[in-house]
């Protein structure tokens, strides 16, 4: 009798310890607080280029994480990346003309979506789309622009400028063409 | 010609062993529902394979974590990113080291015990005696041990990982002075629930494989002292090789 009790007791302790380890990992090591306590609402934004943004990346305002990137899909109709973000429902007074930018944390850090508040009286609600966006900084484009500006040949700038923008933003569609027309 | 016959003979043996293990697994799974009706037998086996392996698992987890902290810190220091120690060590432990090292320790500590126990039962005709009494030894002896191992192994893996992360923290934060807040927050922001699921799935699969090998080797052991010894050795060798092969495949699928 005594030995079965000891066996049951130590087995029970072992199983409890296993679940305690699981609990520790799920609560302390992963970052799920936004989806765990309370609700969240979903907003989308469309970017020309998301760089290396991944689902699960932070959505932050003024450096504070207010949400997470939920899914990233590619819209074939407009050739843009559709980023769905879940924002914690206690942050429900974000103006609907706020802008979303893809930024990089640190020199080699991961990318996140930074939201800067706009001035509208209307707030973002579930299903809304953030219209003002700023794409991820692609290092190659930056270097190309730098090289082009170092060339500094005014007479050839139109041609080379058009070439580089074609190379970098191929498949972009109507918008870049209108920009070129303006230039 | 002789070589050819040897090769085909070996290949035949190998195929026969694989078939034997599969059929044996089928018999165990067939008896599993009835074995589950006697949970006291399973609890006893969870105790034998799990609770009694706890000390070795926790000690090894602590030291694996500590050495990961030492190596990780010195490597990351070269890139000036020692704050990423938490991330690097936690992902390595959760996805690879935890399940694999636990499986190797499990086959060494619990697998050998299972194989030699069942092998000795075979050698001392206890299994035959059960059959004479119309007790199916698969249901009474093999299935509870197999189920106990499958339950214990993922739990051991999780405990190993948790203790390992504590070991990393002891070396990284307490000894080398990595900033505690950065250590934990970087770990939190980069470890997803999927990573923990990957570790846990690996734990279940390895537990399944190692327990199956152990009970099969014990059950089919040659009923002599030498045969039981050989079955125990084969259990460790086959479990280790199988664990590492399965690990590669699981990682390739889940990465």
């Amino acid at each position: 009798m005594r030995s079965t009790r000891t066996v049951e007791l130590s087995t029970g302790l072992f199983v409890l310890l296993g679940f305690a380890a699981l609990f520790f990992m799920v609560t302390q090591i992963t970052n799920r607080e936004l989806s765990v306590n309370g609700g969240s609402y979903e907003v989308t934004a469309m970017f020309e280029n998301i760089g290396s943004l991944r689902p699960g990346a932070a959505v932050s305002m003024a450096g504070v994480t207010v949400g997470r990137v939920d899914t990233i899909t590619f819209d074939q109709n407009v050739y843009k990346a559709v980023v769905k973000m879940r924002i914690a429902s206690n942050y429900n007074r974000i103006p609907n003309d706020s802008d979303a930018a893809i930024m990089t944390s640190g020199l080699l850090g991961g990318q996140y979506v930074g939201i800067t508040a706009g001035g509208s009286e209307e707030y973002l609600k579930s299903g809304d789309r953030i219209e003002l966006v700023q794409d991820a900084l692609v290092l190659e484009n930056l270097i190309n622009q730098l090289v082009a500006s170092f060339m500094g040949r005014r007479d050839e700038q139109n041609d080379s400028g058009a070439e580089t923008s074609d190379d970098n933003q191929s498949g972009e569609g109507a918008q870049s063409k209108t920009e070129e027309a303006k230039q | 010609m002789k070589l050819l016959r040897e090769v085909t003979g070996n290949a035949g043996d190998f195929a026969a062993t694989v078939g034997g293990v599969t059929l044996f697994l089928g018999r165990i799974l067939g008896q599993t529902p009835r074995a589950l009706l006697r949970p006291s037998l399973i609890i006893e086996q969870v105790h034998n394979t799990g609770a009694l392996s706890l000390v070795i698992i926790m000690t090894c987890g602590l030291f694996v974590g500590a050495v990961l902290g030492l190596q990780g810190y010195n490597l990351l220091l070269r890139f000036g990113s020692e704050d990423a120690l938490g991330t690097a060590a936690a992902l390595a432990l959760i996805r690879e080291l935890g399940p694999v090292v636990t499986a190797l320790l499990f086959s060494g500590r619990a697998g050998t015990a299972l194989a030699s126990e069942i092998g000795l039962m075979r050698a001392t005709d206890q299994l035959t005696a059960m059959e004479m009494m119309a007790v199916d030894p698969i249901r009474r002896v093999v299935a509870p041990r197999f189920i106990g191992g499958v339950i214990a192994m993922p739990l051991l893996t999780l405990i190993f990982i948790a203790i390992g992360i504590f070991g990393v923290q002891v070396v990284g934060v307490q000894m080398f002075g990595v900033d505690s807040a950065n250590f934990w927050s970087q770990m939190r922001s980069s470890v997803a629930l999927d990573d923990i699921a990957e570790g846990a799935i690996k734990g279940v699969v390895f537990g399944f494989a190692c327990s199956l090998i152990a009970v099969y080797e014990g059950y089919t052991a040659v009923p002599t002292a030498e045969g039981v010894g050989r079955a125990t050795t084969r259990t460790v060798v086959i479990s280790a090789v199988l664990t590492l092969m399965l690990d590669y495949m699981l990682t390739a699928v889940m990465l």
Side-chain angles (χ1 to χ4, degrees):
Chain A
M1 193 60 210
R2 164 122 183 87
S3 75
T4 33
R5 172 136 180 83
T6 321
V7 166
E8 280 174 358
L9 196 68
S10 63
T11 310
L13 285 176
F14 161 65
V15 173
L16 287 177
L17 202 62
F19 280 104
L22 181 65
F23 182 75
F24 163 73
M25 274 189 268
V26 170
T27 55
Q28 295 300 306
I29 295 177
T30 62
N31 198 352
R32 292 273 142 177
E33 69 255 36
L34 279 157
S35 53
V36 170
N37 40 341
S40 58
Y41 62 97
E42 193 177 272
V43 296
T44 58
M46 292 175 116
F47 294 94
E48 301 273 353
N49 192 331
I50 56 162
S52 60
L53 191 73
R54 292 282 169 268
V59 176
S60 73
M61 288 190 80
V64 180
T65 303
V66 297
R68 302 236 151 243
V69 173
D70 198 26
T71 59
I72 298 173
T73 49
F74 180 66
D75 188 335
Q76 288 201 43
N77 297 318
V78 290
Y79 301 113
K80 283 184 179 181
V82 182
V83 176
K84 279 192 179 154
M85 296 167 271
R86 301 209 73 88
I87 295 176
S89 42
N90 49 334
Y91 301 109
N92 55 359
R93 295 210 307 277
I94 303 171
N96 65 0
D97 62 343
S98 301
D99 74 278
I102 295 178
M103 313 213 238
T104 310
S105 58
L107 200 58
L108 297 166
Q111 290 188 300
Y112 65 97
V113 179
I115 296 181
T116 313
S120 170
E121 295 288 315
E122 305 257 310
Y123 301 126
L124 279 176
K125 51 188 188 301
S126 190
D128 278 2
R129 186 148 80 86
I130 298 177
E131 302 289 343
L132 292 167
V133 295
Q134 190 187 321
D135 294 335
L137 207 62
V138 178
L139 209 56
E140 286 81 353
N141 292 358
L142 204 67
I143 291 169
N144 276 343
Q145 280 175 15
L146 208 65
V147 170
S149 71
F150 271 134
M151 296 295 198
R153 278 176 290 184
R154 277 278 151 199
D155 46 345
E156 285 173 48
Q157 202 186 23
N158 281 339
D159 301 4
S160 63
E163 263 172 40
T164 42
S165 76
D166 268 358
D167 286 348
N168 302 335
Q169 303 165 351
S170 57
E172 204 176 85
Q175 200 183 344
S176 66
K177 293 223 174 69
T178 52
E179 277 168 13
E180 280 167 40
K182 275 181 212 160
Q183 286 168 3
Chain B
M1 200 62 203
K2 191 185 164 208
L3 188 76
L4 186 73
R5 203 178 303 140
E6 216 165 75
V7 168
T8 50
N10 282 344
D13 283 353
F14 178 71
T17 310
V18 171
V21 174
T22 315
L23 290 175
F24 191 67
L25 174 65
R27 285 173 71 190
I28 294 176
L29 292 180
Q31 293 296 336
T32 297
R34 300 177 74 177
L36 286 173
L37 292 176
R38 294 189 64 181
S40 60
L41 288 177
I42 295 173
I43 290 174
E44 199 184 324
Q45 293 312 319
V46 174
H47 174 259
N48 280 344
T49 52
L52 295 182
S53 308
L54 213 49
V55 175
I56 181 176
I57 291 288
M58 288 169 84
T59 316
C60 293
L62 187 68
F63 280 100
V64 167
V67 87
L68 210 55
L70 278 175
Q71 293 280 14
Y73 179 79
N74 281 315
L75 183 68
L76 290 168
L77 201 60
R78 293 185 201 174
F79 305 106
S81 54
E82 62 270 23
D83 286 343
L85 178 65
T87 304
L91 284 178
L93 272 170
I94 290 172
R95 293 191 356 192
E96 290 299 333
L97 283 173
V100 170
V101 177
T102 310
L104 296 178
L105 292 171
F106 179 83
S107 67
R109 162 65 187 76
T112 51
L114 286 183
S116 56
E117 192 184 5
I118 299 175
L120 264 176
M121 284 182 170
R122 165 70 72 202
T124 52
D125 287 333
Q126 291 181 49
L127 298 181
T128 320
M130 280 183 191
E131 278 165 0
M132 299 280 279
M133 293 188 288
V135 174
D136 185 354
I138 299 268
R139 193 203 320 165
R140 180 65 179 75
V141 173
V142 174
R145 282 168 174 73
F146 175 73
I147 298 166
V150 173
I151 294 173
M153 175 60 202
L155 293 172
L156 289 172
T157 304
L158 293 169
I159 293 169
F160 183 95
I161 295 170
I163 297 282
I165 289 172
F166 175 74
V168 176
Q169 188 264 351
V170 166
V171 171
V173 177
Q174 318 280 343
M175 274 172 61
F176 288 131
V178 172
D179 184 64
S180 172
N182 281 343
F183 179 85
W184 289 108
S185 71
Q186 290 215 7
M187 195 192 297
R188 265 179 219 184
S189 62
S190 55
V191 178
L193 219 50
D194 293 358
D195 296 319
I196 294 174
E198 186 182 333
I201 289 171
K202 280 184 177 175
V204 174
V205 174
F206 295 163
F208 200 90
C210 291
S211 308
L212 180 63
I213 297 297
V215 291
Y216 176 79
E217 286 297 336
Y219 196 77
T220 57
V222 179
T224 59
E226 196 193 353
V228 174
R230 192 167 291 167
T232 315
T233 313
R234 282 170 60 95
T235 301
V236 178
V237 173
I238 297 174
S239 297
V241 173
L242 201 62
T243 298
L244 297 171
M245 277 163 55
L246 281 173
D247 183 52
Y248 175 77
M249 288 180 224
L250 286 174
T251 309
V253 169
M254 289 194 286
L255 203 65

